[in-house]
């Protein structure tokens, strides 16, 4: 690597276009929102930057704090489910025969490249009252009922008089499932990368010293791959926290998350200063999560997402 | 790693001979690290893949279903593709999406390659901070960037009501801003495998900066650049959140159109439009994945 | 000792990886307290054999018993053997003490016992001052000693060592060779070492099995292996060898006549123990370079050939002289530089007589 002084012309030719683009169309827009967040709404589109902290104070009112808390809680729950489901999958792929690995990984990555909105929409057909999840349950119910009837227990209706479909859509449960479904590949990828890199001889040494599979997992495998788990947690948690169309499409009236509130301020409610404040609070929360990860992983790896 | 010590010469292979009192070949027991042969793990992986793919598979299947309600299979038809094609606003959204994606791909690929070369080649003060900033569009929640772009175009008085395709400029600009950092990451990944001595050798043989870039560095980078471009293409084509905040009534893209359709009703037409989008992105992604498979690092031709 | 029951008994073991046969019908007994080496080029199956003893691979055919019990399908964590890995596999997230204690903790040893046994192991391997360090604060040699202590603290019946010295530099390697022999003497258990380095095997082991292509070619004590290799492969793999192709031409009162192209007929004392090659069989005639003497005149009672010095490689303690014989073949001879002027005694381009004692010649039939 050479110093920029050694070849200034090349340095500027390479550096100016992307830097300019990033500054004009990323840093300045964020800056504008940041300034707006300290402003007051004066008219339909008129905003005076007064340096007021009112918007932040309002964002910290119980109503919005509760939404923040709920967003964190739901994103956290979805992240945990992703971890619990994703770890064994990543583990199995990392230990699969070499020629299968690329196909299994492709199978994990593929849904992640299919439009997240379309995947969310696909879930509606699964979860709605006359959807496939309920059809499956109904089928199971019929079989179960038939078994009971054959066993001479028909008149007791142990499984109920008839099948009552579950309401799986338009509630918090559906939103959590939607987030898990949308972001599971994000969890598997870094986990896989870490488990794959793990030197197998550590595990063999553990077996050799008398440990079983579970002990080897808790004492050796997990401690040596938790960086991957942490990366996965962060890259699932951050977009989950800002999700707004998943609750919009799958959630009910009480499923509003912070993303929906921000969206409403900028679209229908037209209160940009408040929306700006909320969106910066969300960003600070993101940076907080990234910083936490950097501290946990140790310096030097902070920027490697 | 299984230390496979195998004798390279094929030689004669001894088949198990039926010696008295010995089983010729028993089933090899599961080795301590052969986790993929354990049934409980197979079950978890199988179930996960089923749950991952079943909704998508049904969505695609019901785009061919001869019924307005996506519930029971009533026979195969292409009707909804024809209907989607003839739906003027859906078709316009599709054309908009493709236009934006193509322009965004070209520009963000160029910017991404420049940024990657800059970070690969030079030491300069504040480099760590600079790297952090280029990674920021990847890291921050999409909605934050979406509202920022919306506020920006409103505050600077970006002209609206321009004739097509200029009216797509604000969406395109936003797409470039979040796509090129991804291209830069992918190209940098490819550059890690580049032996710097090729560059030195080229200059030692009298080539200029430009000639070295043109004939040595870029040919090596080509698979990374193509992979980056394909990913920029799918990112742009797929983007909903940022487009949602920057699009106007005349500048609807396909995901935004699908969103508004889904909000009102669930029709096979949406399934058909979605299926088209899925097919395009899947092809682009599979191509990008194949190109990202690393070639030998000492081979500047790339392959 | 020869009569003691084997601690490890490998019976007709074959291991395939897909179409390749990594270990091909190996039968081998290893005695208690032996320092045993599995020696061979990379890919010969020695590591696979060792890993089958540890339980990481299961043999496709055959049985392995350890301490008189059939262990063929027993999981690695239930075998009375422990291993020192090639990469050492010292857990990076644990201190030296925790690493050594791990094998005791997983079987729920009382903590007072853990403490004393770990200390004992650390003292034995001179690591007691490093107990609280993490592996990344240790040198390669120290990490290796952690791996040793960690295995020995389990008091295994057999210690398996997979290329334990390959990652160390030359000086340290020599010191560790002596150290390992000392350790083996003091703990009094069987050591089985896998190595591709003949010097390592010769200097440390009580017995060596030379493997090639999944098969064992010869099992013998080091000196026997060096002086009486039983085939061309072993002769060439262990040390250097001058090899001539010949045919058995005749036999006369305890001597065999061998017709060697370009050398004429040589009369060699027949080996009483080895198989008697049939008349007209093709054989290899081999002599070690250090057994070859270079003189300006032929010497009586020795096999002597004329040649011209082609090249001299000077190694300090020895010089390797390459002599082009009249037949065109190049013969190598090692000269001890036992005096400062020794290396000047011969120069490139000189005509010399190469000679050796007929008793130092080997007749290799396979």
């Amino acid at each position: 690597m050479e110093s920029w002084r050694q070849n200034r012309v090349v340095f500027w030719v390479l550096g100016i276009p992307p830097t300019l683009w990033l500054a004009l169309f990323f840093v300045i827009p964020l800056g504008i929102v940041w300034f707006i967040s300290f402003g007051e709404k004066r008219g339909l589109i008129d905003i005076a930057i007064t340096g007021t902290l009112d918007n932040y104070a309002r964002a910290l009112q119980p109503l919005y704090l509760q939404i923040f808390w709920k967003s964190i809680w739901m994103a956290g729950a979805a992240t945990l489910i992703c971890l619990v489901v994703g770890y064994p999958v990543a583990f199995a792929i990392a230990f699969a025969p070499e020629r299968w690995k690329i196909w299994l990984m492709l199978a994990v990555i593929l849904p992640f490249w299919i439009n997240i909105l379309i995947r969310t929409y696909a879930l509606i057909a699964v979860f709605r009252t006359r959807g496939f999840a309920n059809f499956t349950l109904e089928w199971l119910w019929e079989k179960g009922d038939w078994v009971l009837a054959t066993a001479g227990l028909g008149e007791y209706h142990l499984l109920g008089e008839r099948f009552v479909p579950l309401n799986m859509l338009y509630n918090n449960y559906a939103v959590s499932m939607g987030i898990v479904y949308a972001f599971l590949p994000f969890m598997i990828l870094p986990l896989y990368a870490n488990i794959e890199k793990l030197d197998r001889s550590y595990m063999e040494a553990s077996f050799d010293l008398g440990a079983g599979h579970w002990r080897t997992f808790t004492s050796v495998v997990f401690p040596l791959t938790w960086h991957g788990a942490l990366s996965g947690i962060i890259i699932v948690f951050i977009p989950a926290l800002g999700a707004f169309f998943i609750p919009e499409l799958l959630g009910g009236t009480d499923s509003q998350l912070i993303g929906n509130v921000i969206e409403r301020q900028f679209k229908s409610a037209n209160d940009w200063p408040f929306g700006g404040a909320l969106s910066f609070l969300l960003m600070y929360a993101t940076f907080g999560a990234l910083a936490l990860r950097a501290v946990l992983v140790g310096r030097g790896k902070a920027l490697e997402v | 790693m299984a230390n496979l010590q195998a004798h390279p010469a094929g030689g004669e292979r001894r088949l198990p001979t039926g010696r008295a009192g010995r089983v010729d070949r028993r089933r090899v027991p599961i080795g301590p690290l052969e986790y993929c042969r354990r049934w409980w793990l197979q079950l978890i992986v199988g179930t996960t893949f089923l749950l991952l793919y079943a909704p998508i598979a049904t969505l695609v299947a019901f785009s061919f279903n001869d019924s307005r309600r996506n519930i029971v299979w009533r026979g195969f038809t292409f009707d909804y593709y024809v209907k989607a094609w003839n739906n003027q606003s859906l078709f316009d959204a599709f054309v908009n999406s493709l236009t934006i994606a193509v322009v965004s791909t070209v520009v963000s690929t160029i910017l991404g390659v420049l940024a990657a070369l800059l970070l690969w080649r030079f030491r300069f003060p504040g480099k760590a901070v600079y790297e952090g900033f280029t990674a920021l569009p990847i890291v921050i929640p999409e909605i934050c960037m979406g509202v920022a772009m919306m506020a920006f175009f409103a505050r600077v008085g970006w002209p609206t009501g321009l004739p097509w395709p200029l009216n797509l400029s604000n969406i395109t600009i936003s797409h470039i801003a979040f796509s090129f950092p991804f291209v830069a990451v992918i190209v940098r990944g490819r550059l890690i495998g580049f032996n710097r001595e090729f560059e030195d050798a080229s200059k030692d043989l009298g080539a200029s900066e430009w000639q070295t870039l043109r004939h040595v560095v870029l040919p090596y980078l080509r698979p990374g650049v193509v992979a980056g471009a394909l990913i920029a293409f799918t990112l742009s084509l797929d983007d909903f959140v940022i487009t949602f905040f920057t699009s106007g009534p005349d500048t609807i893209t396909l995901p935004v159109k699908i969103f508004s359709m889904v909000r009102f009703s669930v029709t096979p037409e949406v399934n058909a439009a979605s299926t088209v989008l899925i097919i395009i992105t899947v092809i682009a992604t599979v191509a990008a994945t194949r190109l990202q498979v690393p070639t030998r690092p000492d081979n500047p031709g790339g392959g | 000792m020869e009569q003691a029951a084997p601690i490890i008994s490998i019976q007709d073991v074959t291991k395939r990886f897909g179409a390749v046969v990594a270990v091909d019908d190996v039968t081998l007994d290893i005695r208690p307290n032996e320092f045993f080496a599995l020696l061979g080029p990379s890919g010969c199956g020695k590591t696979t054999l060792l890993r089958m003893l540890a339980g990481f691979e299961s043999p496709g055919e055959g049985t392995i018993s350890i301490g008189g019990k059939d262990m063929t399908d027993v999981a690695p964590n239930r075998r009375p053997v422990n291993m020192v890995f090639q990469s050492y596999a010292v857990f990076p997230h644990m201190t030296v003490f925790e690493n050594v204690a791990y094998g005791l903790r997983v079987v729920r040893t009382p903590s007072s016992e853990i403490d004393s046994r770990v200390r004992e192991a650390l003292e034995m391997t001179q690591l007691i001052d490093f107990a609280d360090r993490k592996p990344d604060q240790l040198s390669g040699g120290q990490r290796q000693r952690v791996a040793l202590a960690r295995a020995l603290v389990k008091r295994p019946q057999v210690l398996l060592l997979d290329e334990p010295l390959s990652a160390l530099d030359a000086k340290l390697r020599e010191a560790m060779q002596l150290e390992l022999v000392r350790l083996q003497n003091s703990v009094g258990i069987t050591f089985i070492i896998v190595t591709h380095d003949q010097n390592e095997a010769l200097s440390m082991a009580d017995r060596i099995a030379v493997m090639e292509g999944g098969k064992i070619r010869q099992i013998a004590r080091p000196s026997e292996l060096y002086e009486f290799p039983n085939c061309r492969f072993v002769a060439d793999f262990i040390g250097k060898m001058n090899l001539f192709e010949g045919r058995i031409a005749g036999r006369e009162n305890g001597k065999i006549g061998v017709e060697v192209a370009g050398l004429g007929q040589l009369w060699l004392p027949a080996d009483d123990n080895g198989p008697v090659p049939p008349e007209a069989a093709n054989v290899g005639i081999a002599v070690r370079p250090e057994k070859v003497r270079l003189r300006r005149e032929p010497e009586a009672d020795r096999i002597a050939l004329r040649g011209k010095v082609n090249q001299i490689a000077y190694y300090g303690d020895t010089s390797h002289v390459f002599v082009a014989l009249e037949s065109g073949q190049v013969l190598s001879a090692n000269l001890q530089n036992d005096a400062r002027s020794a290396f000047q005694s011969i120069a490139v381009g000189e005509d010399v007589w190469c000679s050796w004692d007929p008793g130092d010649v080997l007749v290799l039939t396979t």
Side-chain angles (χ1 to χ4, degrees), chain B residues 143-161:
Chain B
I143 192 166
C144 296
M145 186 160 172
V147 299
M149 298 317 290
M150 179 183 179
F152 170 77
F153 288 116
R155 301 303 284 183
V156 300
W158 197 264
T160 51

Side-chain angles (χ1 to χ4, degrees), chain A residues 17-194:
Chain A
T19 312
L20 211 59
W21 199 283
L22 199 68
L24 275 179
F25 301 121
F26 181 71
V27 178
I28 289 180
L30 284 182
I32 288 175
V33 176
W34 191 73
F35 275 109
I36 288 176
S37 73
F38 295 104
E40 279 172 49
K41 198 180 153 200
R42 286 277 160 77
L44 199 59
I45 53 160
D46 213 15
I47 293 164
I49 312 292
T50 55
T52 174
L53 290 172
D54 284 357
N55 299 308
Y56 289 92
R58 194 176 147 206
L60 297 176
Q61 279 171 3
L63 172 66
Y64 294 106
L65 268 186
Q66 207 192 334
I67 293 178
F68 253 112
W69 176 237
K70 187 173 183 177
S71 305
I72 290 172
W73 198 88
M74 287 191 58
T79 307
L80 191 68
I81 297 173
C82 282
L83 182 64
V84 172
V85 176
Y87 203 102
V89 174
F91 192 85
I93 297 174
F95 282 89
E98 213 54 50
R99 68 206 135 86
W100 292 6
K101 271 185 195 173
I102 185 155
W103 296 109
L104 288 169
M105 274 325 281
L106 195 64
V108 169
I109 296 168
L110 213 55
F112 152 72
W113 283 109
I114 292 171
N115 196 311
I116 214 166
L117 182 71
I118 294 176
R119 284 188 288 144
T120 309
Y121 162 59
L123 275 189
I124 295 178
V126 174
F127 281 146
R128 63 188 164 175
T129 321
R130 293 201 42 73
F132 301 102
N134 268 322
F135 288 166
T136 312
L137 288 175
E138 186 170 9
W139 181 81
L140 287 173
W141 181 87
E142 277 169 6
K143 293 293 163 215
D145 202 50
W146 179 82
V147 168
L148 288 176
T150 336
L153 299 165
E155 63 266 40
Y156 301 116
H157 295 295
L158 291 177
L159 293 171
E161 292 268 341
R162 58 191 168 81
F163 175 74
V164 184
L166 295 175
N167 277 321
M168 283 182 276
L169 204 56
Y170 310 122
N171 53 32
N172 293 337
Y173 160 81
V175 177
S176 295
M177 285 300 115
I179 294 173
V180 170
Y181 186 58
F183 299 123
L184 184 61
F186 281 125
M187 181 64 88
I188 295 177
L189 287 174
L191 276 174
Y192 169 76
N194 258 264

Side-chain angles (χ1 to χ4, degrees), chain C residues 94-122:
Chain C
M94 299 181 190
T95 62
V96 169
F97 187 95
E98 288 166 344
N99 261 287
V100 178
Y102 182 81
L104 300 176
R105 282 189 182 143
V106 296
V107 293
R108 303 184 202 286
T109 312
S111 63
S112 57
E113 192 189 334
I114 291 180
D115 204 64
S116 63
R117 276 171 71 178
V118 171
R119 267 175 210 293
E120 189 193 338
L122 290 177

Side-chain angles (χ1 to χ4, degrees), chain A residues 41 201 233 258 289:
Chain A
K41 198 180 153 200
S201 61
I233 288 170
I258 196 68

Side-chain angles (χ1 to χ4, degrees), chain C residues 2-231:
Chain C
E2 295 286 328
Q3 274 71 43
I7 185 93
I8 283 183
S9 180
I10 300 168
Q11 283 293 325
D12 306 316
V13 161
T14 295
K15 174 73 184 174
R16 293 185 177 79
F17 291 109
V20 255
V21 185
V23 172
D24 192 355
D25 197 16
V26 164
T27 297
L28 174 65
D29 281 351
I30 296 170
R31 302 170 200 135
N33 302 340
E34 207 174 11
F35 200 129
F36 193 91
L38 291 166
L39 175 66
S42 69
C44 71
K46 58 190 192 298
T47 296
T48 309
L49 191 58
L50 192 79
R51 289 170 57 81
M52 285 196 281
L53 294 179
F56 300 128
E57 313 282 357
S58 48
E61 294 159 34
T63 56
I64 293 172
S65 47
I66 302 171
K69 288 187 199 111
D70 184 3
M71 292 274 168
T72 312
D73 292 327
V74 173
N77 52 343
R78 300 183 199 285
R79 293 192 185 205
V81 301
N82 287 102
M83 184 149 162
V84 173
F85 289 81
Q86 186 172 10
S87 64
Y88 312 146
V90 174
F91 302 128
H93 58 299
M94 299 181 190
T95 62
V96 169
F97 187 95
E98 288 166 344
N99 261 287
V100 178
Y102 182 81
L104 300 176
R105 282 189 182 143
V106 296
V107 293
R108 303 184 202 286
T109 312
S111 63
S112 57
E113 192 189 334
I114 291 180
D115 204 64
S116 63
R117 276 171 71 178
V118 171
R119 267 175 210 293
E120 189 193 338
L122 290 177
E123 256 153 32
M124 189 163 59
T125 47
Q126 292 139 41
L127 283 166
I128 195 75
D129 298 333
F130 301 97
D132 296 325
R133 295 233 190 142
K134 284 280 185 76
D136 58 2
Q137 298 165 305
L138 299 177
S139 70
Q142 287 165 337
R143 272 206 286 274
Q144 197 211 24
R145 294 215 298 271
V146 177
L148 264 170
R150 186 175 71 175
L152 288 173
V153 79
K154 295 275 292 179
R155 298 184 183 152
Q157 293 180 23
V158 180
L159 184 73
L160 309 171
L161 302 108
D162 184 8
E163 302 263 6
L165 307 176
S166 62
L168 304 179
D169 61 61
K171 273 248 161 64
L172 196 54
R173 197 177 320 170
E174 215 172 299
M176 274 317 289
Q177 287 177 12
L178 297 171
E179 177 78 16
L180 281 174
V181 172
R182 187 188 64 79
L183 260 175
Q184 196 255 342
N185 283 328
S186 69
V187 296
I189 60 168
T190 309
F191 276 32
I192 303 176
I193 183 171
V194 153
T195 179
H196 64 273
D197 183 336
Q198 32 144 335
N199 292 327
E200 223 169 88
L202 291 175
S203 68
M204 289 194 287
D206 297 327
R207 279 199 309 156
I208 299 171
V210 181
M211 291 185 72
E212 188 220 359
K215 284 186 171 22
I216 292 186
R217 297 292 169 191
Q218 188 172 8
I219 306 175
R221 282 177 289 113
S223 56
E224 200 184 326
L225 203 60
Y226 187 81
E227 298 298 348
F228 301 102
N230 67 356
C231 62

